[in-house]
Amino acid sequence: MSKFESSIKQVPYSQRAVYDNISNLENLEKVKNRVPEDKVKDFAFDHDTISMSVAPVGELKIGICDREEPKCVKFESLQSPVPFNLWIQVLPVTETTSKMKVTVKADLNPFIRGMVAGPMQDAVEKIADALAMVPYE
């Protein structure tokens, strides 16, 4: 398994507010207009799953496989060219702020890892950046 971790992001919302939003994927309704339409098509979600078509990857579907209230939400790939897990950890800093880290573990063979390690690390960092900017009110 290959592991990719984002840097720790500061979030100007409480741990509870962040967790409550990321643990229910229906809250993506608030930010779906930020999804780049040139890269992501057929973006759909419900309480526990997200599906989309991503260029050049193809069809992706991920689902929540575990919730550790109020500190972590774990996802697993349900449909993907490469099996992976993703988790979002949220820890309190103060009563009104928190910090977040995104981790992805993917089942990559050494050849593929060499080709995708850089883009995967960039993607994990961009996911964390985007999550840190979401209004969790």
Side-chain angles (χ1 to χ4, degrees), residues 61-95:
K61 185 171 185 176
I62 62 172
I64 294 176
C65 59
D66 192 20
R67 292 173 175 92
E68 294 177 28
E69 189 172 343
K71 62 183 180 176
C72 188
V73 179
K74 296 180 181 180
F75 300 82
E76 65 183 344
S77 60
L78 303 173
Q79 179 182 348
S80 170
V82 175
F84 69 91
N85 291 326
L86 177 147
W87 59 97
I88 304 168
Q89 296 167 281
V90 184
L91 294 173
V93 175
T94 68
E95 285 187 21

Side-chain angles (χ1 to χ4, degrees), residues 6-132:
S6 74
S7 57
I8 295 172
K9 306 296 180 183
Q10 299 300 314
V11 183
Y13 297 95
S14 70
Q15 178 188 29
R16 171 55 61 191
V18 175
Y19 176 84
D20 286 349
N21 275 270
I22 63 174
S23 64
N24 177 356
L25 298 178
E26 290 171 336
N27 289 315
L28 289 171
E29 186 68 38
K30 295 183 225 174
V31 295
K32 75 177 187 179
N33 63 335
R34 296 184 188 181
V35 175
E37 292 181 20
D38 60 325
K39 293 184 175 31
V40 177
K41 305 273 188 238
D42 305 319
F43 185 66
F45 49 88
D46 60 27
H47 184 76
D48 293 322
T49 61
I50 304 170
S51 62
M52 65 195 93
S53 180
V54 180
V57 177
E59 296 295 319
L60 284 179
K61 185 171 185 176
I62 62 172
I64 294 176
C65 59
D66 192 20
R67 292 173 175 92
E68 294 177 28
E69 189 172 343
K71 62 183 180 176
C72 188
V73 179
K74 296 180 181 180
F75 300 82
E76 65 183 344
S77 60
L78 303 173
Q79 179 182 348
S80 170
V82 175
F84 69 91
N85 291 326
L86 177 147
W87 59 97
I88 304 168
Q89 296 167 281
V90 184
L91 294 173
V93 175
T94 68
E95 285 187 21
T96 59
T97 64
S98 55
K99 57 187 178 179
M100 170 189 299
K101 182 167 96 172
V102 175
T103 304
V104 172
K105 279 191 180 177
D107 192 8
L108 303 173
N109 69 46
F111 177 72
I112 297 293
R113 179 173 167 60
M115 293 190 316
V116 303
M120 280 292 291
Q121 185 62 49
D122 288 345
V124 169
E125 200 65 39
K126 286 179 182 175
I127 291 168
D129 286 340
L131 288 169

